Amino acid sequence: MATRSPRTHTRSAAVAAADRLTEAATAARPCPPIRDLLGTDDIDAAYAVQQRLTDHRVAAGATITGRKIGLTSPAVQQQLGVDQPDFGVLFADMDVSSLAEVPSGRLLQPKAEAEIAFELGADLVDGDLDLAQVRAAVARAAAALEIVDSRIADWDITITDTIADNGSSGLYVLGETWLALDAFEPRDVQMRLFSGDELVSEGTGAACLGDPLEALAWLARTARDYGQPLRAGQVVLSGALGPMVPTPPGTVIHAELTSLGTVTATFSKENS
């Protein structure tokens, strides 16, 4: 299958957009939206920016560990004013599951989403990449918290802004309980997300494109189309099961997902 690439006339804009996002990340100062460079509907150009930034990180020694699916929940799409899913790249240093605290100093405008993490036991390269094939490729799954972030000031994003900005990715935390898919059904999972003792978000697996496995199938096909298919051993974050919530420094959040248990994140104080 031929891979997709941006139109030639967008290449200089992609370079400028990548430079703007890199500067925002380096300076820890959000930047204006990049849609003035890419427009609001050139999805291929936005993924070209994401790939350019990914290539730079890999060249600097970063390790790709998987993907994140974004904008799968109608509630989150409504929050951000977009109408289709996207994906970003996960790197090894984004997994902060083993840390006592989430390092707030690495984040600009963080929000948290409760999700399902899938670990792949087989490549998703050939075939139809339909629901049955994707289900068979999943080795196990766990509860997860994705800590989304944006280099775009005030989360003023369109679909091209967020795709270029690696799907508005930040960090993530994985739960300790891992189950095979024959032990639970992802679309039936019930989720509750708490900030401290306050219930701040609720949702279900069905809120994630109707079924988190359907979201995974969408990602498998789309990632292959862009020449970066999913591989065995990679982790995929499903996308939100309910609305995202702000997580300023000092916040303690935890999510409860039926069958998969709980996952907790404590955000460090501002200057720690």
Side-chain angles (χ1 to χ4, degrees):
M1 176 179 294
T3 58
R4 297 160 69 172
S5 61
R7 295 188 295 270
T8 301
H9 75 271
T10 66
R11 292 189 185 279
S12 61
V15 171
D19 288 346
R20 185 182 297 179
L21 290 168
T22 298
E23 173 60 24
T26 301
R29 185 174 59 250
C31 64
I34 58 171
R35 55 185 175 268
D36 63 318
L37 299 168
L38 302 183
T40 60
D41 60 2
D42 193 341
I43 302 300
D44 288 347
Y47 278 118
V49 175
Q50 182 186 121
Q51 187 62 50
R52 183 178 180 85
L53 294 172
T54 296
D55 291 344
H56 283 317
R57 289 194 64 172
V58 170
T63 300
I64 294 174
T65 54
R67 302 287 194 283
K68 57 147 288 179
I69 313 170
L71 306 175
T72 55
S73 163
V76 173
Q77 290 183 0
Q78 184 174 13
Q79 282 181 303
L80 294 179
V82 299
D83 61 0
Q84 58 184 295
D86 70 349
F87 73 85
V89 177
L90 298 180
F91 297 93
D93 65 354
M94 292 168 61
D95 181 358
V96 294
S97 307
S98 64
L99 301 183
E101 294 183 323
V102 174
S104 295
R106 290 179 56 185
L107 301 163
L108 297 179
Q109 307 172 96
K111 302 175 187 287
E113 302 173 342
E115 309 190 1
I116 297 174
F118 297 110
E119 184 180 282
L120 299 180
D123 292 347
L124 287 170
V125 178
D126 301 316
D128 294 335
L129 301 182
D130 57 12
L131 189 62
Q133 184 179 353
V134 164
R135 179 185 287 272
V138 173
R140 57 181 188 163
L145 291 169
E146 185 187 356
I147 302 154
V148 294
D149 199 10
S150 181
R151 272 53 60 179
I152 305 296
D154 301 318
W155 280 90
D156 178 14
I157 62 174
T158 63
I159 190 68
T160 52
D161 294 302
T162 186
I163 289 173
D165 189 23
N166 198 27
S168 300
S169 63
L171 307 171
Y172 65 95
V173 179
L174 301 175
E176 297 181 356
T177 299
W178 290 85
L179 296 177
L181 292 185
D182 59 5
F184 81 110
E185 191 58 55
R187 69 173 175 268
D188 294 335
V189 166
Q190 304 289 313
M191 180 278 293
R192 299 198 302 165
L193 180 64
F194 296 84
S195 179
D197 295 326
E198 181 184 0
L199 177 64
V200 290
S201 179
E202 293 183 89
T204 69
C208 182
L209 289 187
D211 185 335
L213 291 174
E214 291 284 9
L216 179 55
W218 171 86
L219 171 66
R221 294 188 294 269
T222 306
R224 182 176 66 180
D225 285 350
Y226 282 101
Q228 301 291 332
L230 302 180
R231 299 292 184 178
Q234 291 184 335
V235 170
V236 174
L237 301 182
S238 68
L241 306 190
M244 59 185 181
V245 298
T247 53
T251 302
V252 178
I253 61 171
H254 76 276
E256 301 173 350
L257 279 70
T258 53
S259 300
L260 295 173
T262 64
V263 56
T264 300
T266 300
F267 289 74
S268 65
K269 301 293 186 183
E270 188 87 49
N271 297 317
S272 62

